[in-house]
Amino acid sequence: MGASLPPKEANLFKLIVKSYETKQYKKGLKAADAILKKFPDHGETLSMKGLTLNCMDRKIEAYELVRLGLKNDLKSHVCWHVYGLLYRSDREYREAIKCYRNALRIDPDNIEILRDLSLLQAQMRDLAGFVEARQQLLTLKPNQRMNWIGFAVAHHLNSNGAKAAEILEAYEGTLEDDYPPDNERCEHGEMLLYKISLLEECGFHERALEELHKKEPKIVDRLTYKEQEVSLLVKLGRLEEGANIYKALLTLNPDNYRYYEGLQKCFDLYSENGKYSSDEIDRLDALYKSLAQQYTWSSAVRRIPLDFLQGDKFREAAVSYIQPLLIKGVPSLFSDLSPLYNHYGKTDILEQLMLELEHSIRTTGRFPDRTEEEPPSTLLWTLFFLAQHYDRRGQYDMALSKIDEAIQHTPTVIDLYSVKSRILKHAGDLVAAASLADEARCMDLADRYINSESVKRMLQADQVALAEKTAALFTKEGDQHNNLHDMQCMWYELASGESYTRQGYLGRALKKFLAVEKHYADITEDQFDFHSYCLRKMTLRAYVEMLKFQDRLHSHSYFHKAAAGAIRCYLKLYDSPLNSPAEEEDHTLKTLQKKKMKKQRKTERAKKEAEEKNGESSASGTSKSGKRHVKPVDPDPYGERLLKTEDPLSEATKYLKLLQKNSPDSLETHLLSFEVNMRKQKILLAFQAVKQLLRLDAEYPDSHRCLVCNICLTILRTVVHRLNFSIKWAQCLLQRLMQKNLFGVS
């Protein structure tokens, strides 16, 4: 770098690089200007100056300088590398990879460029290229642990776990017998556990268990060691040894449901669908009774039998589980038992049991099988449970009666108001539900959860302005929209987007839905920093799990809701174009927007002037790290630009493809596919969507509506063709039928 410069300027160039690495950007700019005074066309200096300006958020100047530097010195690997770094900072990863490859053609053995290239390949899941880059790094620097580990992980991600295990074994062969030193024991232990998990994944269970026992003294994480050991023993069929280890693990953590599940597998008493024969139920009952005597303080050992017991045995176990929790006053009891409502017959048993307990408490002040009197709060929590029970069964009058009695009994318990609010919501009285939730919030102004519950109820009642003010109570001072966006508060954005959709404000609804989509894009980008960090810190198992999670990230329910909401907004835009009064933003809202933007600009100007006076930022308003403290004003806070899209159906199709890729087993995905493709008059694709709907749930009402609609429109097209009407007339008729929603498709 800087080889073509005289010694003095070459030293200055090194100072630019060092200043960039240490984030002393003003110092680097000064050195770059000193070189450019004498050598104004020096490409590498121009590129480094551009890279420094990019860190100071002067992107336009940065790109101009880097491109000029590359033009002046097209055969410099530095210029190409800097150009790649510039693209990488803007998340243009494919362009950055091209630049890195051009740099490697000039300097094939540059370790820094190879490392940067491998990180981008991991980010973009170019796994074949990732393996190649990591192999080259290992060839150049075989004495670095990170290169061995990176090469192994690359093969693992490329679905070659056996090769990855071989590489790790080869690396171990380069180490001395007394390795690792005390300060590296954790990292080395993690590498050994990763290698054993690779062997297990490849099916080499015997070999993995042998390796685990052999390396036991070098593994620091004893809990993971035991969990790995018992997993291998079960897979090898050594169930008695596995049962002993699971019992030892339960001694450490008797409320871990995974350990109970593993213990059941060791006794051949585990079923994926939760269905057991009468003999298996008896054996399970005996097992858990013996475990309950051993782990008397465990809640799980008494809760799990409720899932498989039936009839009188279930009732007996439920009584012994529920009564102590009612006496203690555990508000989450109903949430704990709610999965039992999906089991046939158990709901009626629970109702009968709770009514008997309520009657006994009312009349005698104690439970039927007890002699001592219970505290007065026991009746309160019994009523609390019954209110939620009747709410779950859709008997809202009974639920309200029970919860009102509980409130009259003890009017200071906040949970009672929250549950009553939920009951009113289910009953359809959204305004009363929001009012009651706000009343609960006012009883404890320091509780963030109660505040969030109140905001959610307000948004469901379309009280958006009040919800914004309430949400702002737990955000930083300033614009609550930006604060909630920065906090990635997706439930709020989804709820407000749905509220705006109901009210017909499609621009603001799209703004909220697309903000959620932006959060998921940010989460995807955030993994970039972990590619090097996890290899360096040897958190290899967690790293691979994180990458697998990222690959299925967009199947998360929040993303599904946001994409579906955006598609519905675009469909409404297509059906009712902008000039219709129902969809346009009010003039008053535009005026408020302009006032708000002016106020924001004044605030930003004041902040910038204060920062410049205090010297907290550079001349361009940046911090020492090069990142701006002041956030730009949102030029479109109400989403008016989003409403002006020329082709709403193409925008809807973009999000539909994401749903089809990541949520193929969702009915809503194929319902939206049907609606989009019918509007695009792609009848075959609409038929495919109907076929998927019938496959997933043939009894779903919308499946029938879509089927009838598709058949009718196909017949209509045939009639139009037979009668020789014009294609333009047919298309117009089809479009009007869809806009009128003639066939009842939601």
Side-chain angles (χ1 to χ4, degrees), residues 387-388 390-394 396 419-430 433 457 460:
Q388 295 175 87
Y390 286 122
D391 178 41
R392 175 70 180 257
R393 304 201 78 174
Y396 302 122
V419 166
K420 185 176 180 181
S421 170
R422 198 174 303 126
I423 295 168
L424 289 169
K425 183 199 77 169
H426 295 157
D429 194 348
L430 300 177
R457 296 285 175 266
Q460 288 165 351

Side-chain angles (χ1 to χ4, degrees), residues 116-152:
D116 286 347
L117 174 63
S118 70
L119 298 180
L120 286 184
Q121 288 169 331
Q123 177 78 8
M124 300 300 293
R125 302 298 191 271
D126 177 12
L127 300 179
F130 186 40
V131 170
E132 183 184 342
R134 278 291 162 186
Q135 184 175 14
Q136 197 171 349
L137 278 168
L138 179 60
T139 305
L140 292 170
K141 287 281 185 179
N143 58 339
Q144 288 188 0
R145 178 184 67 184
M146 187 174 171
N147 291 340
W148 286 92
I149 303 302
F151 190 37

Side-chain angles (χ1 to χ4, degrees), residues 35-42 46 68 72:
I35 296 174
L36 292 173
K37 279 184 181 178
K38 293 185 178 179
F39 303 96
D41 295 329
H42 188 253
L46 287 167
L68 179 61
N72 292 344

Side-chain angles (χ1 to χ4, degrees), residues 526-656:
D526 288 343
Q527 69 177 299
F528 182 81
D529 294 331
F530 291 95
H531 296 309
S532 59
Y533 175 84
C534 292
L535 295 180
R536 190 169 67 252
K537 295 294 185 182
M538 300 293 284
T539 55
L540 305 176
R541 290 174 297 131
Y543 173 59
V544 172
E545 284 300 315
M546 184 269 292
L547 293 181
K548 291 178 181 177
F549 166 77
Q550 289 283 355
D551 290 339
R552 61 178 185 273
L553 178 66
H554 288 86
S555 62
H556 193 273
S557 60
Y558 277 4
F559 179 82
H560 180 94
K561 289 178 183 178
I567 291 169
R568 287 198 168 91
C569 288
Y570 283 122
L571 290 178
K572 286 186 178 181
L573 271 179
Y574 175 78
D575 293 341
S576 302
L578 253 186
N579 292 329
S580 66
E583 300 296 336
E584 281 190 326
E585 300 292 343
D586 292 330
H587 178 69
T588 53
L589 292 175
K590 294 181 180 179
T591 307
L592 285 172
Q593 176 190 356
K594 290 177 183 177
K595 288 181 179 179
K596 189 174 183 180
M597 288 183 67
K598 283 181 182 178
K599 188 176 180 181
Q600 285 177 335
R601 287 194 195 101
K602 281 184 181 180
T603 306
E604 300 303 332
R605 262 199 303 269
K607 283 184 180 179
K608 193 180 287 187
E609 288 172 6
E611 283 184 355
E612 288 174 355
K613 284 180 183 178
N614 295 331
E616 291 178 355
S617 61
S618 65
S620 61
T622 59
S623 66
K624 291 181 181 178
S625 63
K627 295 182 180 177
R628 295 178 68 86
H629 290 299
V630 180
K631 294 186 178 178
V633 179
D634 186 356
D636 187 28
Y638 293 101
E640 290 183 347
R641 293 182 186 176
L642 296 171
L643 291 173
K644 295 176 182 177
T645 178
E646 295 180 358
D647 190 357
L649 286 184
S650 73
E651 293 294 325
T653 304
K654 180 173 72 174
Y655 292 103
L656 177 62

Side-chain angles (χ1 to χ4, degrees), residues 117-402:
L117 174 63
S118 70
L119 298 180
L120 286 184
Q121 288 169 331
Q123 177 78 8
M124 300 300 293
R125 302 298 191 271
D126 177 12
L127 300 179
F130 186 40
V131 170
E132 183 184 342
R134 278 291 162 186
Q135 184 175 14
Q136 197 171 349
L137 278 168
L138 179 60
T139 305
L140 292 170
K141 287 281 185 179
N143 58 339
Q144 288 188 0
R145 178 184 67 184
M146 187 174 171
N147 291 340
W148 286 92
I149 303 302
F151 190 37
V153 170
H155 274 290
H156 183 200
L157 295 176
N158 202 30
S159 304
N160 195 350
K163 182 68 175 177
E166 288 177 17
I167 293 165
L168 292 175
E169 286 181 350
Y171 168 66
E172 285 186 83
T174 66
L175 303 175
E176 299 175 359
D177 292 338
D178 60 347
Y179 191 85
D182 290 341
N183 62 336
E184 294 184 18
R185 290 187 67 223
C186 289
E187 289 84 350
H188 188 70
E190 280 295 315
M191 188 206 72
L192 294 173
L193 288 170
Y194 175 61
K195 185 183 78 171
I196 291 160
S197 69
L198 283 173
L199 293 171
E200 182 182 11
E201 186 179 314
C202 296
F204 306 139
H205 300 141
E206 192 73 50
R207 183 178 159 196
L209 185 61
E210 182 183 344
E211 186 72 15
L212 185 68
H213 290 157
K214 180 181 175 182
K215 298 296 171 61
E216 179 181 1
K218 295 187 177 183
I219 295 175
V220 179
D221 189 346
R222 304 307 301 170
L223 178 62
T224 305
Y225 174 87
K226 286 289 183 186
E227 291 177 344
Q228 189 82 58
E229 182 183 21
V230 74
S231 173
L232 290 166
L233 287 170
V234 171
K235 288 179 180 177
L236 286 168
R238 295 159 63 173
L239 301 180
E240 187 176 348
E241 296 175 60
N244 292 331
I245 295 178
Y246 271 124
K247 288 178 180 177
L249 288 170
L250 283 170
T251 304
L252 298 174
N253 185 358
D255 284 318
N256 191 318
Y257 278 63
R258 289 191 299 110
Y259 297 161
Y260 290 105
E261 180 184 311
L263 190 61
Q264 287 180 219
K265 288 179 180 177
C266 291
F267 288 104
D268 196 22
L269 291 172
Y270 179 73
S271 171
E272 290 286 345
N273 57 14
K275 295 180 180 179
Y276 301 94
S277 65
S278 57
D279 179 57
E280 288 174 332
I281 290 175
D282 291 339
R283 290 168 58 198
L284 278 171
D285 190 23
L287 172 64
Y288 276 95
K289 281 180 179 177
S290 66
L291 292 173
Q293 293 175 358
Q294 188 174 355
Y295 310 114
T296 54
W297 61 95
S298 170
S299 173
V301 78
R302 290 180 290 111
R303 169 62 183 85
I304 293 173
L306 299 181
D307 291 327
F308 59 79
L309 290 175
Q310 302 291 335
D312 292 337
K313 288 187 176 181
F314 169 76
R315 179 188 172 85
E316 182 184 345
V319 169
S320 64
Y321 183 73
I322 290 172
Q323 283 184 357
L325 299 180
L326 289 177
I327 296 169
K328 288 181 182 178
V330 178
S332 60
L333 175 59
F334 181 80
S335 298
D336 184 17
L337 298 179
S338 60
L340 298 176
Y341 282 70
N342 298 322
H343 296 203
Y344 177 76
K346 292 186 179 180
T347 307
D348 294 332
I349 294 175
L350 284 174
E351 180 175 336
Q352 184 183 5
L353 167 63
M354 293 304 299
L355 288 174
E356 288 178 7
L357 294 178
E358 179 198 14
H359 177 72
S360 179
I361 288 289
R362 285 183 189 278
T363 55
T364 65
R366 55 185 174 82
F367 288 129
D369 56 345
R370 295 168 67 93
T371 56
E372 63 273 15
E373 286 195 7
E374 308 301 343
S377 62
T378 307
L379 176 61
L380 166 72
W381 296 111
T382 305
L383 293 169
F384 183 70
F385 184 96
L386 281 169
Q388 295 175 87
H389 165 81
Y390 286 122
D391 178 41
R392 175 70 180 257
R393 304 201 78 174
Q395 300 175 10
Y396 302 122
D397 290 338
M398 290 290 293
L400 287 171
S401 172
K402 296 296 181 184

